[in-house]
Coordinates of all heavy atoms in Angstrom, one line a residue:
M1 N 21.4 -3.9 -7.1 CA 20.5 -4.9 -6.6 C 19.1 -4.4 -6.4 O 18.9 -3.2 -6.3 CB 21.0 -5.5 -5.2 CG 20.4 -6.7 -4.7 SD 20.6 -8.1 -5.8 CE 19.4 -9.2 -5.3
R2 N 18.1 -5.2 -6.3 CA 16.7 -4.9 -6.1 C 16.5 -4.3 -4.7 O 17.2 -4.5 -3.8 CB 15.9 -6.1 -6.3 CG 15.9 -6.6 -7.7 CD 15.7 -8.1 -7.8 NE 15.7 -8.5 -9.2 CZ 16.7 -8.9 -9.8 NH1 17.9 -8.8 -9.2 NH2 16.7 -9.3 -11.1
R3 N 15.4 -3.5 -4.7 CA 15.0 -2.9 -3.4 C 14.3 -4.0 -2.6 O 13.3 -4.5 -3.0 CB 14.1 -1.7 -3.6 CG 14.8 -0.5 -4.1 CD 14.0 0.7 -4.2 NE 13.5 1.0 -2.8 CZ 12.3 1.5 -2.6 NH1 11.5 1.9 -3.6 NH2 11.9 1.8 -1.3
L4 N 14.8 -4.3 -1.4 CA 14.2 -5.3 -0.5 C 13.1 -4.5 0.4 O 13.5 -4.1 1.5 CB 15.2 -6.0 0.4 CG 16.4 -6.6 -0.4 CD1 17.4 -7.3 0.5 CD2 15.9 -7.6 -1.5
N5 N 11.9 -4.4 -0.2 CA 10.9 -3.5 0.5 C 9.7 -4.2 0.9 O 8.7 -3.6 1.3 CB 10.6 -2.4 -0.5 CG 10.0 -2.9 -1.8 OD1 9.9 -4.0 -2.0 ND2 9.6 -1.9 -2.6
R6 N 9.7 -5.6 1.0 CA 8.5 -6.3 1.4 C 9.0 -7.2 2.6 O 10.0 -7.9 2.5 CB 8.0 -7.2 0.3 CG 7.4 -6.3 -0.7 CD 6.9 -7.0 -1.9 NE 5.7 -7.8 -1.7 CZ 5.1 -8.5 -2.6 NH1 5.4 -8.3 -3.9 NH2 4.0 -9.2 -2.3
K7 N 8.2 -7.1 3.7 CA 8.5 -7.9 4.9 C 7.8 -9.2 4.8 O 6.6 -9.3 4.8 CB 8.0 -7.1 6.1 CG 8.5 -7.7 7.4 CD 8.0 -6.8 8.6 CE 8.4 -7.3 9.9 NZ 8.0 -6.4 11.0
L8 N 8.6 -10.3 4.7 CA 8.1 -11.7 4.6 C 8.6 -12.5 5.8 O 9.7 -12.4 6.3 CB 8.6 -12.4 3.4 CG 8.3 -11.7 2.0 CD1 8.9 -12.5 0.9 CD2 6.9 -11.4 1.8
V9 N 7.7 -13.3 6.3 CA 8.0 -14.3 7.4 C 8.4 -15.6 6.8 O 7.6 -16.2 6.0 CB 6.8 -14.4 8.4 CG1 7.1 -15.5 9.5 CG2 6.4 -13.1 9.0
L10 N 9.6 -16.1 7.1 CA 10.0 -17.4 6.7 C 9.4 -18.5 7.6 O 9.6 -18.4 8.8 CB 11.5 -17.5 6.7 CG 12.1 -18.9 6.3 CD1 11.7 -19.2 4.8 CD2 13.6 -18.9 6.5
E11 N 8.7 -19.5 7.1 CA 8.1 -20.5 7.9 C 8.6 -21.9 7.4 O 8.8 -22.1 6.2 CB 6.6 -20.5 7.7 CG 5.9 -19.2 8.3 CD 4.4 -19.2 8.1 OE1 3.9 -19.9 7.3 OE2 3.8 -18.5 8.9
G12 N 8.8 -22.8 8.3 CA 9.3 -24.1 8.0 C 8.3 -25.2 8.4 O 7.5 -25.0 9.4
P13 N 8.1 -26.3 7.6 CA 7.2 -27.3 8.0 C 7.6 -28.1 9.2 O 8.8 -28.4 9.4 CB 7.1 -28.2 6.7 CG 8.5 -28.0 6.1 CD 8.9 -26.6 6.4
V14 N 6.7 -28.5 10.0 CA 6.9 -29.3 11.2 C 5.8 -30.4 11.3 O 4.6 -30.0 11.1 CB 6.9 -28.5 12.5 CG1 7.1 -29.4 13.7 CG2 8.0 -27.4 12.5
R15 N 6.2 -31.6 11.4 CA 5.2 -32.7 11.6 C 4.8 -32.8 13.1 O 5.7 -32.9 13.9 CB 5.7 -34.0 11.0 CG 5.9 -33.9 9.5 CD 6.2 -35.2 8.9 NE 5.3 -36.3 9.1 CZ 4.2 -36.5 8.4 NH1 3.8 -35.6 7.5 NH2 3.4 -37.5 8.6
A16 N 3.5 -32.8 13.3 CA 3.1 -32.9 14.7 C 2.0 -34.0 14.8 O 1.3 -34.3 13.9 CB 2.4 -31.6 15.1
P17 N 2.0 -34.8 15.9 CA 1.0 -35.8 16.1 C -0.4 -35.3 16.0 O -0.7 -34.2 16.5 CB 1.3 -36.4 17.5 CG 2.5 -35.8 17.9 CD 2.8 -34.6 17.1
D18 N -1.3 -36.1 15.3 CA -2.7 -35.6 15.2 C -3.6 -36.2 16.2 O -4.8 -35.9 16.2 CB -3.2 -35.9 13.8 CG -3.3 -37.4 13.5 OD1 -3.0 -38.2 14.4 OD2 -3.7 -37.8 12.4
G19 N -3.1 -36.9 17.2 CA -3.9 -37.5 18.3 C -4.6 -38.8 17.9 O -5.1 -39.5 18.7
G20 N -4.5 -39.2 16.6 CA -5.1 -40.4 16.2 C -4.1 -41.4 15.7 O -4.4 -42.3 14.9
G21 N -2.8 -41.3 16.0 CA -1.8 -42.2 15.6 C -1.0 -41.7 14.4 O -0.1 -42.3 14.0
G22 N -1.5 -40.7 13.7 CA -0.9 -40.2 12.5 C -0.2 -38.9 12.8 O 0.1 -38.5 14.0
A23 N 0.1 -38.1 11.8 CA 0.7 -36.8 11.9 C 0.1 -35.8 11.0 O -0.5 -36.2 9.9 CB 2.2 -37.0 11.7
R24 N 0.2 -34.6 11.3 CA -0.2 -33.5 10.4 C 0.9 -32.5 10.3 O 1.8 -32.4 11.2 CB -1.5 -32.9 10.9 CG -1.3 -32.2 12.3 CD -2.7 -31.6 12.7 NE -2.6 -31.1 14.1 CZ -2.2 -29.9 14.4 NH1 -1.9 -29.0 13.5 NH2 -2.1 -29.5 15.7
Q25 N 0.9 -31.7 9.2 CA 1.9 -30.7 9.0 C 1.5 -29.4 9.6 O 0.4 -29.0 9.3 CB 2.3 -30.6 7.6 CG 3.4 -29.6 7.3 CD 3.8 -29.6 5.8 OE1 4.4 -30.6 5.4 NE2 3.4 -28.6 5.1
T26 N 2.3 -28.8 10.4 CA 2.1 -27.4 10.8 C 3.3 -26.6 10.4 O 4.2 -27.1 9.9 CB 1.9 -27.3 12.4 OG1 3.1 -27.8 13.0 CG2 0.7 -28.2 12.8
W27 N 3.2 -25.3 10.6 CA 4.2 -24.4 10.2 C 4.7 -23.5 11.4 O 3.9 -23.1 12.2 CB 3.7 -23.4 9.1 CG 3.4 -24.2 7.8 CD1 2.1 -24.7 7.5 CD2 4.2 -24.5 6.8 NE1 2.2 -25.3 6.3 CE2 3.5 -25.2 5.8 CE3 5.6 -24.2 6.5 CZ2 4.0 -25.7 4.6 CZ3 6.1 -24.7 5.3 CH2 5.3 -25.4 4.4
V28 N 6.1 -23.4 11.4 CA 6.7 -22.6 12.5 C 7.5 -21.5 11.9 O 8.2 -21.7 10.9 CB 7.5 -23.5 13.4 CG1 8.7 -24.1 12.7 CG2 8.0 -22.7 14.6
A29 N 7.3 -20.3 12.4 CA 8.1 -19.1 11.9 C 9.6 -19.3 12.3 O 9.9 -19.6 13.4 CB 7.5 -17.8 12.5
R30 N 10.5 -19.0 11.3 CA 11.9 -19.1 11.6 C 12.6 -17.8 11.4 O 13.9 -17.8 11.6 CB 12.5 -20.2 10.6 CG 12.1 -21.6 10.9 CD 13.1 -22.6 10.4 NE 13.9 -22.2 9.3 CZ 13.7 -22.6 8.1 NH1 12.8 -23.5 7.8 NH2 14.5 -22.2 7.1
G31 N 11.9 -16.8 11.1 CA 12.6 -15.5 11.0 C 11.8 -14.6 10.0 O 10.8 -15.0 9.4
V32 N 12.3 -13.3 9.9 CA 11.7 -12.3 9.1 C 12.8 -11.9 8.1 O 13.9 -11.7 8.4 CB 11.2 -11.1 9.9 CG1 10.7 -10.0 9.0 CG2 10.1 -11.5 10.9
H33 N 12.4 -11.8 6.8 CA 13.3 -11.3 5.8 C 12.7 -10.1 5.1 O 11.5 -10.1 4.8 CB 13.5 -12.4 4.7 CG 14.3 -13.5 5.2 ND1 15.7 -13.6 5.1 CD2 14.0 -14.7 5.8 CE1 16.1 -14.7 5.6 NE2 15.1 -15.4 6.0
W34 N 13.5 -9.1 4.7 CA 13.1 -8.1 3.8 C 13.4 -8.6 2.5 O 14.5 -9.1 2.2 CB 13.8 -6.8 4.2 CG 13.2 -6.1 5.4 CD1 13.7 -6.3 6.7 CD2 12.0 -5.4 5.4 NE1 12.8 -5.6 7.5 CE2 11.8 -5.0 6.8 CE3 11.1 -4.9 4.5 CZ2 10.7 -4.3 7.2 CZ3 10.0 -4.2 4.9 CH2 9.8 -3.8 6.2
A35 N 12.5 -8.5 1.5 CA 12.6 -9.1 0.2 C 12.1 -8.3 -0.9 O 11.4 -7.3 -0.7 CB 11.8 -10.4 0.2
A36 N 12.5 -8.6 -2.1 CA 12.0 -8.1 -3.4 C 11.3 -9.3 -4.0 O 11.9 -10.4 -4.1 CB 13.1 -7.6 -4.3
V37 N 10.1 -9.1 -4.5 CA 9.3 -10.2 -5.1 C 9.0 -9.8 -6.5 O 8.4 -8.7 -6.8 CB 8.0 -10.5 -4.3 CG1 7.2 -11.6 -5.0 CG2 8.3 -10.9 -2.9
E38 N 9.3 -10.7 -7.5 CA 9.1 -10.4 -8.9 C 8.2 -11.5 -9.4 O 8.5 -12.7 -9.3 CB 10.4 -10.4 -9.7 CG 11.3 -9.3 -9.4 CD 12.6 -9.3 -10.2 OE1 12.8 -10.3 -10.9 OE2 13.4 -8.4 -10.0
A39 N 7.0 -11.2 -10.0 CA 6.1 -12.2 -10.6 C 6.6 -12.5 -12.0 O 7.2 -11.7 -12.7 CB 4.7 -11.6 -10.6
A40 N 6.2 -13.8 -12.4 CA 6.5 -14.3 -13.7 C 5.1 -14.7 -14.3 O 4.1 -14.3 -13.8 CB 7.5 -15.4 -13.7
T41 N 5.1 -15.5 -15.4 CA 3.9 -15.9 -16.0 C 3.1 -16.9 -15.1 O 3.7 -17.6 -14.3 CB 4.1 -16.5 -17.3 OG1 5.0 -17.7 -17.2 CG2 4.7 -15.6 -18.3
G42 N 1.8 -16.9 -15.2 CA 1.0 -17.8 -14.3 C 0.7 -19.1 -14.9 O 1.0 -19.4 -16.1
A43 N 0.1 -20.0 -14.1 CA -0.3 -21.3 -14.6 C -1.5 -21.7 -13.8 O -1.8 -21.2 -12.8 CB 0.9 -22.3 -14.3
E44 N -2.2 -22.7 -14.3 CA -3.4 -23.2 -13.6 C -3.5 -24.7 -13.7 O -3.1 -25.3 -14.8 CB -4.7 -22.6 -14.3 CG -6.0 -22.9 -13.6 CD -7.1 -22.3 -14.3 OE1 -7.3 -21.0 -14.1 OE2 -7.9 -23.0 -15.0
R45 N -3.9 -25.4 -12.7 CA -4.1 -26.8 -12.8 C -5.3 -27.2 -12.0 O -5.7 -26.5 -11.0 CB -2.8 -27.5 -12.2 CG -2.6 -27.4 -10.8 CD -1.3 -28.2 -10.3 NE -1.2 -28.2 -8.9 CZ -0.6 -27.3 -8.2 NH1 -0.1 -26.3 -8.7 NH2 -0.5 -27.5 -6.9
A46 N -5.9 -28.3 -12.4 CA -7.1 -28.7 -11.7 C -6.8 -29.6 -10.5 O -6.0 -30.5 -10.6 CB -8.0 -29.5 -12.7
G47 N -7.5 -29.4 -9.4 CA -7.4 -30.2 -8.2 C -8.6 -31.1 -8.2 O -9.4 -31.2 -9.1
E48 N -8.8 -31.9 -7.1 CA -9.9 -32.8 -7.0 C -11.2 -32.1 -7.1 O -12.1 -32.4 -7.8 CB -9.8 -33.6 -5.8 CG -8.7 -34.7 -5.8 CD -8.7 -35.5 -4.6 OE1 -9.8 -35.7 -3.9 OE2 -7.7 -36.1 -4.3
A49 N -11.4 -31.1 -6.2 CA -12.7 -30.4 -6.1 C -12.6 -28.9 -6.4 O -13.5 -28.2 -6.1 CB -13.3 -30.7 -4.8
L50 N -11.4 -28.4 -6.8 CA -11.2 -27.0 -6.9 C -10.1 -26.8 -7.9 O -9.4 -27.7 -8.3 CB -10.8 -26.3 -5.6 CG -9.8 -27.0 -4.7 CD1 -8.4 -26.5 -5.1 CD2 -10.0 -26.7 -3.3
T51 N -9.9 -25.5 -8.4 CA -8.9 -25.2 -9.3 C -7.9 -24.3 -8.5 O -8.2 -23.4 -7.8 CB -9.4 -24.4 -10.5 OG1 -10.4 -25.2 -11.1 CG2 -8.3 -23.9 -11.4
L52 N -6.6 -24.7 -8.7 CA -5.5 -23.9 -8.0 C -4.8 -23.1 -9.1 O -4.5 -23.6 -10.2 CB -4.5 -24.9 -7.4 CG -4.9 -25.7 -6.3 CD1 -3.8 -26.6 -5.8 CD2 -5.3 -24.8 -5.1
S53 N -4.8 -21.8 -8.9 CA -4.1 -20.9 -9.8 C -2.7 -20.6 -9.1 O -2.7 -20.1 -8.0 CB -4.9 -19.6 -9.9 OG -4.2 -18.7 -10.7
G54 N -1.7 -20.8 -9.9 CA -0.3 -20.6 -9.3 C 0.4 -19.6 -10.1 O 0.4 -19.5 -11.3
V55 N 1.1 -18.7 -9.4 CA 1.9 -17.7 -10.0 C 3.3 -17.9 -9.6 O 3.7 -17.8 -8.4 CB 1.4 -16.3 -9.6 CG1 2.3 -15.2 -10.2 CG2 0.0 -16.0 -9.9
P56 N 4.2 -18.2 -10.5 CA 5.6 -18.3 -10.2 C 6.2 -17.0 -9.9 O 5.9 -16.0 -10.5 CB 6.3 -19.0 -11.4 CG 5.3 -18.9 -12.5 CD 4.0 -18.5 -11.9
V57 N 7.0 -16.9 -8.8 CA 7.7 -15.7 -8.5 C 9.1 -16.0 -8.1 O 9.5 -17.1 -7.8 CB 7.0 -15.0 -7.2 CG1 5.6 -14.6 -7.6 CG2 7.0 -15.9 -6.0
R58 N 10.0 -14.9 -8.2 CA 11.3 -15.0 -7.7 C 11.4 -14.0 -6.5 O 11.0 -12.9 -6.5 CB 12.3 -14.5 -8.7 CG 12.4 -15.5 -9.9 CD 13.5 -15.2 -10.8 NE 13.4 -13.8 -11.3 CZ 14.4 -13.2 -12.0 NH1 15.5 -13.8 -12.3 NH2 14.2 -11.9 -12.3
V59 N 11.9 -14.6 -5.4 CA 12.0 -13.8 -4.1 C 13.5 -13.6 -3.8 O 14.2 -14.6 -3.7 CB 11.3 -14.5 -3.0 CG1 11.4 -13.7 -1.7 CG2 9.8 -14.8 -3.3
F60 N 13.9 -12.3 -3.7 CA 15.3 -12.0 -3.4 C 15.4 -11.6 -2.0 O 14.6 -10.7 -1.5 CB 15.8 -10.9 -4.3 CG 15.9 -11.2 -5.8 CD1 14.7 -11.1 -6.6 CD2 17.0 -11.7 -6.3 CE1 14.8 -11.5 -7.9 CE2 17.1 -12.0 -7.7 CZ 16.0 -11.9 -8.5
V61 N 16.3 -12.2 -1.2 CA 16.6 -11.9 0.2 C 18.1 -11.8 0.4 O 18.9 -12.3 -0.4 CB 15.9 -12.9 1.1 CG1 14.4 -13.0 1.0 CG2 16.5 -14.3 0.9
R62 N 18.4 -11.3 1.6 CA 19.8 -11.2 2.0 C 20.3 -12.6 2.2 O 19.6 -13.5 2.7 CB 20.1 -10.4 3.2 CG 19.7 -8.9 3.0 CD 20.4 -8.0 4.0 NE 19.9 -6.7 3.9 CZ 20.3 -5.8 3.0 NH1 21.2 -6.2 2.1 NH2 19.9 -4.6 3.0
G63 N 21.6 -12.9 2.0 CA 22.2 -14.2 2.1 C 22.3 -14.6 3.5 O 22.3 -13.8 4.5
A64 N 22.3 -16.0 3.7 CA 22.5 -16.6 5.0 C 23.3 -17.9 4.7 O 23.2 -18.5 3.7 CB 21.2 -16.9 5.7
P65 N 24.2 -18.2 5.6 CA 25.1 -19.4 5.4 C 24.3 -20.7 5.3 O 23.2 -20.8 6.0 CB 26.0 -19.5 6.6 CG 25.7 -18.3 7.5 CD 24.5 -17.6 6.9
V66 N 24.8 -21.7 4.5 CA 24.1 -23.0 4.5 C 24.1 -23.6 5.9 O 25.0 -23.5 6.6 CB 24.9 -23.9 3.5 CG1 24.3 -25.3 3.5 CG2 24.9 -23.3 2.1
G67 N 22.9 -24.1 6.2 CA 22.8 -24.7 7.6 C 22.2 -23.7 8.6 O 21.7 -24.2 9.6
S68 N 22.2 -22.5 8.3 CA 21.6 -21.5 9.2 C 20.1 -21.6 9.2 O 19.5 -21.7 8.1 CB 22.0 -20.1 8.8 OG 21.2 -19.1 9.5
P69 N 19.4 -21.5 10.4 CA 17.9 -21.5 10.4 C 17.3 -20.4 9.6 O 16.2 -20.4 9.2 CB 17.6 -21.5 11.8 CG 18.8 -21.2 12.6 CD 20.0 -21.4 11.7
A70 N 18.1 -19.3 9.4 CA 17.6 -18.1 8.7 C 17.6 -18.3 7.2 O 17.0 -17.5 6.5 CB 18.4 -16.9 9.1
R71 N 18.3 -19.3 6.7 CA 18.4 -19.5 5.3 C 17.2 -20.3 4.8 O 16.9 -21.4 5.3 CB 19.7 -20.3 4.9 CG 19.9 -20.5 3.4 CD 21.1 -21.3 3.1 NE 21.3 -21.6 1.7 CZ 22.1 -20.9 0.9 NH1 22.9 -20.0 1.4 NH2 22.2 -21.3 -0.3
P72 N 16.5 -19.8 3.8 CA 15.3 -20.5 3.2 C 15.8 -21.8 2.6 O 16.9 -21.9 2.1 CB 14.8 -19.5 2.1 CG 15.4 -18.2 2.5 CD 16.7 -18.5 3.2
R73 N 14.9 -22.8 2.6 CA 15.1 -24.1 2.0 C 13.9 -24.5 1.2 O 12.8 -24.0 1.4 CB 15.3 -25.1 3.1 CG 16.5 -24.9 4.0 CD 16.6 -26.0 5.0 NE 15.5 -26.1 6.0 CZ 15.7 -25.9 7.3 NH1 16.8 -25.7 7.8 NH2 14.6 -25.9 8.1
P74 N 14.1 -25.3 0.2 CA 13.0 -25.8 -0.6 C 12.0 -26.5 0.4 O 12.3 -27.1 1.3 CB 13.6 -26.9 -1.5 CG 15.0 -26.4 -1.7 CD 15.4 -25.9 -0.3
D75 N 10.7 -26.3 0.1 CA 9.6 -26.7 0.8 C 9.3 -25.8 2.1 O 8.3 -26.1 2.7 CB 9.7 -28.2 1.3 CG 9.6 -29.1 0.1 OD1 8.9 -28.8 -0.9 OD2 10.3 -30.2 0.1
D76 N 10.1 -24.8 2.3 CA 9.7 -23.8 3.3 C 8.7 -22.9 2.5 O 8.5 -23.1 1.4 CB 10.9 -22.9 3.7 CG 11.8 -23.7 4.7 OD1 11.5 -24.7 5.2 OD2 12.9 -23.1 5.0
R77 N 8.2 -21.9 3.2 CA 7.4 -20.9 2.6 C 7.6 -19.5 3.2 O 8.1 -19.4 4.3 CB 5.9 -21.3 2.6 CG 5.3 -21.2 4.0 CD 3.9 -21.7 4.0 NE 3.3 -21.5 5.3 CZ 2.1 -22.0 5.7 NH1 1.4 -22.7 4.8 NH2 1.6 -21.8 6.9
F78 N 7.3 -18.5 2.4 CA 7.2 -17.1 2.9 C 5.8 -16.8 3.1 O 4.9 -17.2 2.3 CB 7.9 -16.2 1.9 CG 9.4 -16.3 1.8 CD1 10.0 -16.7 0.7 CD2 10.2 -15.9 2.9 CE1 11.3 -16.8 0.5 CE2 11.6 -15.9 2.8 CZ 12.1 -16.4 1.6
R79 N 5.5 -16.0 4.2 CA 4.1 -15.5 4.4 C 4.2 -14.0 4.4 O 5.1 -13.4 5.1 CB 3.6 -16.0 5.7 CG 2.2 -15.4 6.1 CD 1.8 -15.9 7.5 NE 1.5 -17.3 7.5 CZ 0.3 -17.8 7.1 NH1 -0.7 -17.0 6.7 NH2 0.1 -19.1 7.2
E80 N 3.2 -13.4 3.7 CA 3.0 -11.9 3.8 C 1.5 -11.7 4.0 O 0.7 -11.8 3.1 CB 3.4 -11.3 2.4 CG 3.3 -9.8 2.4 CD 3.7 -9.2 1.1 OE1 3.4 -9.8 0.1 OE2 4.2 -8.1 1.1
G81 N 1.2 -11.6 5.3 CA -0.2 -11.6 5.7 C -0.9 -12.9 5.3 O -0.5 -14.0 5.8
Q82 N -1.9 -12.9 4.5 CA -2.6 -14.1 4.1 C -2.0 -14.7 2.8 O -2.4 -15.8 2.4 CB -4.1 -13.8 3.8 CG -4.9 -13.4 5.0 CD -4.8 -14.4 6.1 OE1 -5.1 -15.6 5.8 NE2 -4.5 -14.0 7.3
R83 N -1.0 -14.0 2.2 CA -0.4 -14.6 1.0 C 0.7 -15.5 1.4 O 1.5 -15.3 2.3 CB 0.2 -13.4 0.2 CG -0.9 -12.5 -0.3 CD -0.3 -11.3 -1.0 NE 0.1 -11.7 -2.4 CZ 0.7 -10.9 -3.3 NH1 0.9 -9.7 -3.0 NH2 1.0 -11.4 -4.5
L84 N 0.8 -16.6 0.7 CA 1.8 -17.7 0.9 C 2.6 -18.0 -0.4 O 2.0 -18.1 -1.4 CB 1.1 -19.0 1.4 CG 0.3 -18.9 2.7 CD1 -0.4 -20.2 2.9 CD2 1.3 -18.5 3.8
F85 N 3.9 -18.0 -0.2 CA 4.8 -18.3 -1.3 C 5.6 -19.6 -1.0 O 6.5 -19.5 -0.2 CB 5.7 -17.1 -1.6 CG 5.0 -15.8 -1.8 CD1 4.8 -15.0 -0.8 CD2 4.6 -15.5 -3.1 CE1 4.2 -13.7 -1.0 CE2 4.0 -14.3 -3.3 CZ 3.8 -13.4 -2.3
R86 N 5.3 -20.7 -1.6 CA 6.0 -22.0 -1.4 C 7.3 -21.9 -2.1 O 7.4 -21.7 -3.3 CB 5.2 -23.2 -1.8 CG 6.0 -24.4 -1.6 CD 5.2 -25.6 -1.3 NE 4.0 -25.5 -0.6 CZ 3.7 -26.1 0.5 NH1 4.7 -26.7 1.2 NH2 2.5 -26.0 1.1
I87 N 8.4 -22.2 -1.4 CA 9.8 -22.1 -2.0 C 10.1 -23.4 -2.7 O 10.0 -24.5 -2.1 CB 10.8 -21.8 -0.9 CG1 10.5 -20.5 -0.2 CG2 12.2 -21.9 -1.5 CD1 11.3 -20.2 1.0
L88 N 10.5 -23.3 -4.0 CA 10.8 -24.5 -4.8 C 12.3 -24.7 -4.8 O 12.8 -25.9 -4.8 CB 10.3 -24.3 -6.2 CG 8.8 -24.0 -6.3 CD1 8.4 -23.7 -7.7 CD2 8.0 -25.2 -5.8
S89 N 13.1 -23.7 -4.9 CA 14.6 -23.8 -4.9 C 15.2 -22.5 -4.4 O 14.6 -21.5 -4.4 CB 15.1 -24.1 -6.4 OG 14.8 -23.0 -7.2
V90 N 16.5 -22.6 -4.0 CA 17.2 -21.5 -3.4 C 18.6 -21.6 -4.0 O 19.3 -22.6 -3.9 CB 17.3 -21.6 -1.9 CG1 18.1 -20.4 -1.3 CG2 15.9 -21.6 -1.3
T91 N 19.1 -20.4 -4.5 CA 20.5 -20.3 -5.1 C 21.0 -18.9 -4.7 O 20.3 -18.0 -4.4 CB 20.5 -20.5 -6.6 OG1 19.7 -19.5 -7.2 CG2 20.1 -21.8 -7.0
E92 N 22.3 -18.8 -4.8 CA 23.0 -17.5 -4.5 C 22.7 -16.6 -5.7 O 22.8 -17.1 -6.9 CB 24.5 -17.7 -4.3 CG 24.9 -18.1 -2.9 CD 24.6 -19.6 -2.7 OE1 24.6 -20.4 -3.6 OE2 24.6 -20.0 -1.5
A93 N 22.3 -15.4 -5.5 CA 22.1 -14.5 -6.6 C 23.3 -13.8 -7.1 O 23.3 -13.2 -8.2 CB 21.1 -13.4 -6.1
D94 N 24.4 -13.8 -6.3 CA 25.7 -13.2 -6.7 C 26.8 -14.1 -6.2 O 26.6 -15.0 -5.4 CB 25.8 -11.8 -6.1 CG 25.8 -11.7 -4.5 OD1 25.4 -12.7 -3.9 OD2 26.2 -10.7 -4.0
A95 N 28.0 -13.8 -6.8 CA 29.1 -14.7 -6.5 C 29.6 -14.7 -5.0 O 30.2 -15.6 -4.5 CB 30.3 -14.3 -7.4
D96 N 29.3 -13.6 -4.3 CA 29.7 -13.4 -2.9 C 28.7 -14.0 -2.0 O 29.0 -14.1 -0.8 CB 30.0 -12.0 -2.6 CG 31.1 -11.3 -3.4 OD1 32.1 -12.1 -3.7 OD2 31.0 -10.2 -3.7
G97 N 27.6 -14.5 -2.4 CA 26.5 -15.0 -1.6 C 25.9 -14.0 -0.7 O 25.3 -14.3 0.3
R98 N 25.9 -12.7 -1.0 CA 25.3 -11.7 -0.2 C 23.8 -11.7 -0.4 O 23.1 -11.2 0.5 CB 25.8 -10.3 -0.6 CG 27.3 -10.1 -0.2 CD 27.8 -8.8 -0.7 NE 27.8 -8.8 -2.2 CZ 27.9 -7.7 -2.9 NH1 28.0 -6.5 -2.4 NH2 27.8 -7.8 -4.2
Y99 N 23.3 -12.2 -1.5 CA 21.8 -12.3 -1.7 C 21.5 -13.7 -2.2 O 22.3 -14.4 -2.8 CB 21.4 -11.3 -2.8 CG 21.6 -9.9 -2.3 CD1 22.8 -9.2 -2.6 CD2 20.6 -9.2 -1.5 CE1 23.0 -7.9 -2.2 CE2 20.8 -7.9 -1.1 CZ 22.0 -7.3 -1.4 OH 22.2 -6.0 -1.0
L100 N 20.3 -14.1 -1.9 CA 19.7 -15.4 -2.4 C 18.5 -15.1 -3.2 O 17.8 -14.1 -3.0 CB 19.3 -16.2 -1.2 CG 20.3 -16.6 -0.1 CD1 19.7 -17.3 1.1 CD2 21.4 -17.5 -0.7
V101 N 18.3 -16.0 -4.2 CA 17.1 -15.9 -5.0 C 16.4 -17.2 -4.8 O 16.9 -18.3 -4.9 CB 17.4 -15.6 -6.5 CG1 18.3 -16.7 -7.2 CG2 16.1 -15.5 -7.3
C102 N 15.1 -17.1 -4.4 CA 14.2 -18.2 -4.2 C 13.2 -18.3 -5.3 O 12.4 -17.4 -5.5 CB 13.5 -18.1 -2.8 SG 14.6 -17.9 -1.4
Q103 N 13.2 -19.4 -6.0 CA 12.1 -19.7 -7.0 C 11.0 -20.2 -6.1 O 11.1 -21.1 -5.4 CB 12.5 -20.7 -8.0 CG 13.8 -20.3 -8.8 CD 13.6 -19.1 -9.7 OE1 12.5 -18.8 -10.2 NE2 14.7 -18.4 -9.9
A104 N 9.8 -19.5 -6.3 CA 8.7 -19.9 -5.4 C 7.4 -19.8 -6.3 O 7.4 -19.4 -7.4 CB 8.6 -18.9 -4.2
R105 N 6.3 -20.3 -5.6 CA 5.0 -20.3 -6.3 C 4.0 -19.8 -5.3 O 3.9 -20.4 -4.2 CB 4.6 -21.6 -6.8 CG 3.3 -21.7 -7.4 CD 3.0 -23.0 -8.1 NE 4.0 -23.3 -9.2 CZ 3.9 -22.8 -10.4 NH1 2.9 -22.1 -10.8 NH2 4.8 -23.1 -11.4
E106 N 3.2 -18.8 -5.7 CA 2.1 -18.3 -4.8 C 0.9 -19.1 -5.4 O 0.5 -19.0 -6.6 CB 1.9 -16.8 -4.9 CG 0.7 -16.4 -4.1 CD 0.4 -14.9 -4.2 OE1 0.9 -14.2 -5.1 OE2 -0.3 -14.4 -3.3
E107 N 0.2 -19.9 -4.6 CA -1.0 -20.6 -5.0 C -2.2 -20.0 -4.4 O -2.3 -19.7 -3.2 CB -0.8 -22.1 -4.7 CG 0.3 -22.8 -5.4 CD 0.3 -24.3 -5.2 OE1 -0.3 -24.8 -4.3 OE2 0.9 -24.9 -6.0
V108 N -3.2 -19.8 -5.2 CA -4.5 -19.2 -4.8 C -5.6 -20.2 -5.3 O -5.6 -20.6 -6.4 CB -4.6 -17.8 -5.5 CG1 -6.0 -17.2 -5.1 CG2 -3.5 -16.9 -5.2
V109 N -6.5 -20.5 -4.3 CA -7.6 -21.3 -4.7 C -8.7 -20.4 -5.4 O -9.0 -19.3 -4.9 CB -8.3 -21.9 -3.4 CG1 -9.5 -22.7 -3.8 CG2 -7.3 -22.7 -2.7
A110 N -9.0 -20.8 -6.6 CA -10.0 -20.1 -7.4 C -11.4 -20.7 -7.3 O -11.6 -21.8 -7.1 CB -9.5 -20.0 -8.9

C-alpha cells in the first residue's frame, strides 16, 4: 500500500443562518487522516470573473465504516494548510475495506 505521509483535516459542510433569512455554508472539522495524495492530469474552466484551475487527485486514507463521522463523503473536503481538496467520490481501495480511495479535485484560483 502507499505511504500515508500527509496529514489532512477532513471537513464537512454545514449550513448556518446568515442573519438575513437565508443560509450560508460553513465547514466543520470532523477528524484528521494520514493520507497519500496522487495527482493526475489537470483541467481548467472559466468562471464568471476568474479562471479556476483544477487538478484531479486520488487521496488514500485508512478505512472507516459506512455511517462513521470519520468516513469521508462526497462533497466533504480535505484541508492541508491553505490547500483544499473537494471530495467527489469515495470507494474501498481493497476488498477488506482497510483503505479508502477518494477521487478529489484541488481547485486553485488563477
